Amino acid sequence: MATLLHLDSSFSGEQSVSRAVTSVFRENWEKQHPEGTVVYRDLAAEPLPHLDGLGASAGFADPAQHTPEQADAFARRLTLIEELEQADAVLIGAPMYNFTIPSTLKAWLDHVILVGRTGGEDPSGKGKPLTIVASRGGSTAPGTPRERYEYVQNYLQAVLGDMMGFEVDFIVPELTLAASTPAMADLVPAAEASRAKALDEAEQKAVLLAQRLAA
């Protein structure tokens, strides 16, 4: 049966829209694969250490030449890389914080990007489906005043799609701060519609993807 790697990075807990949407995706995935496997990492609850010089340098060195410190640092990277490689599909909750992704998600990316293996000309994840729930408090949709600040989808497409070869698909619930921000009160109906659309997309895309992989 298929394996889903599921990552969440929102620090908003039960109030998180990205977590609500990834939860619906995962639930519907599991309905299609009741005997399958879900590997879950909550990057907010259990953040990874940032990639340091030891872990980075170890990625460019012959393992036989690693110092004990490099070997320890690289072992963590290998665990994360192998989780990614062994998954049949990947699901990532990536809320926009200060116009970009959470630092916890960036730390995970820094560990799993290894040129010559997961990145480069023939990456190990090439063609693998990867769904990203890219929620944001306002809107950076085309035609909006903040369109130029869209650094989440553009960045993740560049890294996960162009560099690492994944087949990237986005679900984008917007205006998530409307209900709690007086200045956005007029946008509450649009926010509710965006959330409903995202939840519906999560359900449909999870089912279709699970069926595709089972075929």
Side-chain angles (χ1 to χ4, degrees), residues 143-161:
T144 63
R146 292 194 171 187
E147 176 184 359
R148 67 186 184 280
Y149 298 131
E150 207 309 289
Y151 301 125
V152 172
Q153 287 175 260
N154 288 335
Y155 170 68
L156 292 177
Q157 176 60 50
V159 173
L160 292 164

mmCIF file of all heavy atoms in Angstrom, residues 143-161:
data_model
loop_
_atom_site.group_PDB
_atom_site.id
_atom_site.type_symbol
_atom_site.label_atom_id
_atom_site.label_comp_id
_atom_site.label_asym_id
_atom_site.label_seq_id
_atom_site.Cartn_x
_atom_site.Cartn_y
_atom_site.Cartn_z
ATOM 1 N N GLY A 143 -3.439 40.092 -9.340
ATOM 2 C CA GLY A 143 -4.344 41.225 -9.409
ATOM 3 C C GLY A 143 -4.590 41.920 -8.096
ATOM 4 O O GLY A 143 -5.170 43.010 -8.057
ATOM 5 N N THR A 144 -4.137 41.317 -6.980
ATOM 6 C CA THR A 144 -4.308 41.949 -5.672
ATOM 7 C C THR A 144 -3.134 42.893 -5.390
ATOM 8 O O THR A 144 -2.057 42.758 -5.982
ATOM 9 C CB THR A 144 -4.385 40.901 -4.549
ATOM 10 O OG1 THR A 144 -3.133 40.182 -4.502
ATOM 11 C CG2 THR A 144 -5.523 39.923 -4.794
ATOM 12 N N PRO A 145 -3.320 43.852 -4.456
ATOM 13 C CA PRO A 145 -2.233 44.806 -4.163
ATOM 14 C C PRO A 145 -0.947 44.141 -3.692
ATOM 15 O O PRO A 145 0.144 44.704 -3.878
ATOM 16 C CB PRO A 145 -2.841 45.691 -3.075
ATOM 17 C CG PRO A 145 -4.319 45.617 -3.299
ATOM 18 C CD PRO A 145 -4.569 44.206 -3.754
ATOM 19 N N ARG A 146 -1.052 42.978 -3.070
ATOM 20 C CA ARG A 146 0.146 42.322 -2.545
ATOM 21 C C ARG A 146 0.619 41.143 -3.405
ATOM 22 O O ARG A 146 1.368 40.278 -2.936
ATOM 23 C CB ARG A 146 -0.108 41.852 -1.107
ATOM 24 C CG ARG A 146 -0.275 43.019 -0.139
ATOM 25 C CD ARG A 146 -0.197 42.584 1.295
ATOM 26 N NE ARG A 146 -0.158 43.740 2.193
ATOM 27 C CZ ARG A 146 0.046 43.660 3.497
ATOM 28 N NH1 ARG A 146 0.214 42.479 4.069
ATOM 29 N NH2 ARG A 146 0.072 44.750 4.228
ATOM 30 N N GLU A 147 0.214 41.129 -4.632
ATOM 31 C CA GLU A 147 0.631 40.057 -5.533
ATOM 32 C C GLU A 147 2.148 39.900 -5.566
ATOM 33 O O GLU A 147 2.677 38.783 -5.607
ATOM 34 C CB GLU A 147 0.110 40.339 -6.941
ATOM 35 C CG GLU A 147 0.558 39.343 -7.990
ATOM 36 C CD GLU A 147 0.090 39.714 -9.385
ATOM 37 O OE1 GLU A 147 -0.611 40.741 -9.532
ATOM 38 O OE2 GLU A 147 0.415 38.966 -10.330
ATOM 39 N N ARG A 148 2.859 41.022 -5.533
ATOM 40 C CA ARG A 148 4.327 40.971 -5.644
ATOM 41 C C ARG A 148 4.993 40.351 -4.424
ATOM 42 O O ARG A 148 6.193 40.072 -4.453
ATOM 43 C CB ARG A 148 4.876 42.380 -5.882
ATOM 44 C CG ARG A 148 4.707 43.346 -4.722
ATOM 45 C CD ARG A 148 5.151 44.747 -5.134
ATOM 46 N NE ARG A 148 5.110 45.726 -4.054
ATOM 47 C CZ ARG A 148 4.016 46.342 -3.640
ATOM 48 N NH1 ARG A 148 2.847 46.048 -4.201
ATOM 49 N NH2 ARG A 148 4.055 47.226 -2.667
ATOM 50 N N TYR A 149 4.224 40.147 -3.347
ATOM 51 C CA TYR A 149 4.796 39.557 -2.138
ATOM 52 C C TYR A 149 4.566 38.041 -2.055
ATOM 53 O O TYR A 149 4.703 37.459 -0.986
ATOM 54 C CB TYR A 149 4.210 40.224 -0.892
ATOM 55 C CG TYR A 149 4.499 41.699 -0.783
ATOM 56 C CD1 TYR A 149 3.482 42.602 -0.501
ATOM 57 C CD2 TYR A 149 5.785 42.191 -0.964
ATOM 58 C CE1 TYR A 149 3.740 43.963 -0.396
ATOM 59 C CE2 TYR A 149 6.056 43.540 -0.860
ATOM 60 C CZ TYR A 149 5.024 44.430 -0.576
ATOM 61 O OH TYR A 149 5.289 45.765 -0.481
ATOM 62 N N GLU A 150 4.232 37.419 -3.156
ATOM 63 C CA GLU A 150 3.978 35.979 -3.125
ATOM 64 C C GLU A 150 5.326 35.235 -3.173
ATOM 65 O O GLU A 150 5.860 34.939 -4.238
ATOM 66 C CB GLU A 150 3.092 35.566 -4.311
ATOM 67 C CG GLU A 150 2.262 34.309 -4.049
ATOM 68 C CD GLU A 150 3.092 33.150 -3.543
ATOM 69 O OE1 GLU A 150 3.867 32.584 -4.332
ATOM 70 O OE2 GLU A 150 2.987 32.822 -2.339
ATOM 71 N N TYR A 151 5.839 34.929 -1.987
ATOM 72 C CA TYR A 151 7.128 34.255 -1.888
ATOM 73 C C TYR A 151 7.007 32.818 -1.387
ATOM 74 O O TYR A 151 8.029 32.156 -1.180
ATOM 75 C CB TYR A 151 8.059 35.031 -0.951
ATOM 76 C CG TYR A 151 8.321 36.450 -1.371
ATOM 77 C CD1 TYR A 151 8.076 37.508 -0.512
ATOM 78 C CD2 TYR A 151 8.825 36.733 -2.641
ATOM 79 C CE1 TYR A 151 8.315 38.824 -0.900
ATOM 80 C CE2 TYR A 151 9.062 38.039 -3.040
ATOM 81 C CZ TYR A 151 8.806 39.082 -2.161
ATOM 82 O OH TYR A 151 9.042 40.387 -2.544
ATOM 83 N N VAL A 152 5.789 32.337 -1.168
ATOM 84 C CA VAL A 152 5.608 30.966 -0.699
ATOM 85 C C VAL A 152 5.486 30.014 -1.878
ATOM 86 O O VAL A 152 6.304 29.101 -2.049
ATOM 87 C CB VAL A 152 4.388 30.847 0.235
ATOM 88 C CG1 VAL A 152 4.091 29.378 0.547
ATOM 89 C CG2 VAL A 152 4.635 31.605 1.533
ATOM 90 N N GLN A 153 4.469 30.208 -2.708
ATOM 91 C CA GLN A 153 4.300 29.315 -3.847
ATOM 92 C C GLN A 153 5.476 29.400 -4.811
ATOM 93 O O GLN A 153 5.974 28.373 -5.292
ATOM 94 C CB GLN A 153 2.995 29.647 -4.580
ATOM 95 C CG GLN A 153 1.747 29.211 -3.834
ATOM 96 C CD GLN A 153 0.482 29.663 -4.535
ATOM 97 O OE1 GLN A 153 -0.116 30.658 -4.136
ATOM 98 N NE2 GLN A 153 0.091 28.960 -5.572
ATOM 99 N N ASN A 154 5.933 30.618 -5.099
ATOM 100 C CA ASN A 154 7.048 30.770 -6.031
ATOM 101 C C ASN A 154 8.299 30.060 -5.520
ATOM 102 O O ASN A 154 9.004 29.377 -6.272
ATOM 103 C CB ASN A 154 7.347 32.252 -6.267
ATOM 104 C CG ASN A 154 6.277 32.925 -7.101
ATOM 105 O OD1 ASN A 154 5.585 32.279 -7.869
ATOM 106 N ND2 ASN A 154 6.142 34.236 -6.943
ATOM 107 N N TYR A 155 8.578 30.236 -4.231
ATOM 108 C CA TYR A 155 9.772 29.605 -3.657
ATOM 109 C C TYR A 155 9.650 28.080 -3.633
ATOM 110 O O TYR A 155 10.566 27.361 -4.055
ATOM 111 C CB TYR A 155 10.007 30.130 -2.242
ATOM 112 C CG TYR A 155 11.078 29.363 -1.497
ATOM 113 C CD1 TYR A 155 12.417 29.436 -1.884
ATOM 114 C CD2 TYR A 155 10.746 28.537 -0.423
ATOM 115 C CE1 TYR A 155 13.392 28.717 -1.223
ATOM 116 C CE2 TYR A 155 11.717 27.815 0.241
ATOM 117 C CZ TYR A 155 13.045 27.897 -0.154
ATOM 118 O OH TYR A 155 14.000 27.173 0.502
ATOM 119 N N LEU A 156 8.512 27.585 -3.139
ATOM 120 C CA LEU A 156 8.365 26.138 -3.011
ATOM 121 C C LEU A 156 8.292 25.451 -4.376
ATOM 122 O O LEU A 156 8.774 24.326 -4.534
ATOM 123 C CB LEU A 156 7.131 25.808 -2.170
ATOM 124 C CG LEU A 156 7.243 26.204 -0.698
ATOM 125 C CD1 LEU A 156 5.943 25.893 0.041
ATOM 126 C CD2 LEU A 156 8.417 25.486 -0.024
ATOM 127 N N GLN A 157 7.716 26.120 -5.364
ATOM 128 C CA GLN A 157 7.732 25.551 -6.718
ATOM 129 C C GLN A 157 9.166 25.466 -7.231
ATOM 130 O O GLN A 157 9.570 24.468 -7.837
ATOM 131 C CB GLN A 157 6.880 26.407 -7.660
ATOM 132 C CG GLN A 157 6.910 25.951 -9.119
ATOM 133 C CD GLN A 157 6.398 24.538 -9.318
ATOM 134 O OE1 GLN A 157 5.317 24.194 -8.825
ATOM 135 N NE2 GLN A 157 7.158 23.711 -10.024
ATOM 136 N N ALA A 158 9.945 26.514 -6.978
ATOM 137 C CA ALA A 158 11.330 26.523 -7.447
ATOM 138 C C ALA A 158 12.152 25.424 -6.792
ATOM 139 O O ALA A 158 12.926 24.719 -7.461
ATOM 140 C CB ALA A 158 11.963 27.890 -7.172
ATOM 141 N N VAL A 159 11.983 25.269 -5.479
ATOM 142 C CA VAL A 159 12.813 24.303 -4.745
ATOM 143 C C VAL A 159 12.307 22.874 -4.928
ATOM 144 O O VAL A 159 13.064 21.980 -5.316
ATOM 145 C CB VAL A 159 12.854 24.674 -3.248
ATOM 146 C CG1 VAL A 159 13.563 23.587 -2.460
ATOM 147 C CG2 VAL A 159 13.562 25.997 -3.041
ATOM 148 N N LEU A 160 11.029 22.659 -4.631
ATOM 149 C CA LEU A 160 10.488 21.304 -4.654
ATOM 150 C C LEU A 160 10.167 20.823 -6.066
ATOM 151 O O LEU A 160 10.299 19.634 -6.366
ATOM 152 C CB LEU A 160 9.238 21.226 -3.778
ATOM 153 C CG LEU A 160 9.504 21.378 -2.284
ATOM 154 C CD1 LEU A 160 8.215 21.676 -1.526
ATOM 155 C CD2 LEU A 160 10.158 20.112 -1.721
ATOM 156 N N GLY A 161 9.753 21.746 -6.922
ATOM 157 C CA GLY A 161 9.412 21.366 -8.286
ATOM 158 C C GLY A 161 10.600 21.424 -9.221
ATOM 159 O O GLY A 161 11.045 20.411 -9.764
#
